[in-house]
Amino acid sequence: MTGLRQVTALYPGSFDPVTLGHEDVARRTLRVADRVVVAVAESSTETKTPAFSLAERLEMLKEVFSGERIECVSFRGLLVDYARECGADVVVRGLRAVSDFEYEFQMAQMNRELNPDLEFIFLTPDAELSFLSASLVRQVAQLGGDVSSFVSSPVLERLKRRFQAA
Ligand code: PNS
């Protein structure tokens, strides 16, 4: 991308599950980085019990990005430590609306305290996806609503299996 050296971008998140909004941000990242690593975190800043295990969330990421130039991994522990381990130059996060800003700003500042060399960039998803969140998708799916416009088919199948069985 720079002509001098490869830029590696790390896109971390809970991805519980990965939505079309996440997919859009990951693919947009390919426009600004040579290497894109989508990393599902075991520990989220927000206290929440995930609907899908770490392994399941990673499997869904691998399914939706299959055949694309996007690596999918999981990590435990601090984001800054994993960023160092995978050689990331920048961390990418999606910014949907002003309401996301405070949370993202707080995390970016804390991460900067932990590793001043790491840069954070924020990408906005397609406007049509800007209302979308994994938590809304989970709740709608759990209550029997149709989420087929919000997630890719491998994720839809998992949601059906998870919540129809519940
Ligand atoms: O999709 P999310 O839940 O908004 O993603 C938040 C995530 C996973 C990126 C954040 O919680 C994180 O970086 N977790 C790893 C643990 C860590 O480094 N926590 C301190 C962050 S300031």
Side-chain angles (χ1 to χ4, degrees):
M1 184 65 53
T2 58
L4 295 172
R5 67 178 185 88
Q6 299 264 303
V7 173
T8 295
L10 175 63
Y11 176 31
S14 301
F15 303 115
D16 186 35
V18 55
T19 67
L20 293 184
H22 296 130
E23 290 185 39
D24 185 52
V25 169
R27 294 188 182 108
R28 284 174 194 280
T29 307
L30 282 171
R31 298 181 182 177
V32 294
D34 303 284
R35 179 175 166 235
V36 176
V37 181
V38 179
V40 55
E42 183 185 46
S43 319
S44 174
T45 310
E46 291 186 327
T47 320
K48 49 190 175 189
T49 309
F52 294 97
S53 70
L54 189 66
E56 287 173 312
R57 288 180 274 150
L58 178 59
E59 278 167 24
M60 286 186 272
L61 284 171
K62 287 184 173 170
E63 285 163 0
V64 302
F65 293 122
S66 158
E68 296 184 53
R69 201 167 46 85
I70 293 176
E71 295 168 41
C72 301
V73 298
S74 63
F75 72 100
R76 295 175 200 276
L78 284 176
L79 173 66
V80 287
D81 291 337
Y82 184 69
R84 201 173 282 123
E85 194 183 314
C86 81
D89 302 288
V90 290
V91 171
V92 173
R93 293 280 292 168
L95 206 54
R96 291 165 299 188
V98 177
S99 50
D100 281 342
F101 180 78
E102 199 175 331
Y103 171 58
E104 294 301 332
F105 186 71
Q106 234 181 343
M107 279 203 299
Q109 292 301 104
M110 173 56 85
N111 282 316
R112 177 163 290 160
E113 291 294 318
L114 299 172
N115 179 358
D117 294 331
L118 200 57
E119 294 301 338
F120 281 73
I121 61 172
F122 299 92
L123 298 181
T124 51
D126 190 300
E128 288 185 13
L129 301 169
S130 60
F131 66 93
L132 202 50
S133 72
S135 55
L136 279 182
V137 165
R138 278 197 312 273
Q139 189 177 51
V140 172
Q142 193 164 13
L143 298 174
D146 178 10
V147 291
S148 57
S149 322
F150 314 134
V151 294
S152 286
S153 51
V155 179
L156 188 64
E157 290 313 310
R158 297 253 185 176
L159 283 165
K160 281 184 186 160
R161 270 186 272 144
R162 170 57 37 92
F163 294 126
Q164 279 172 7

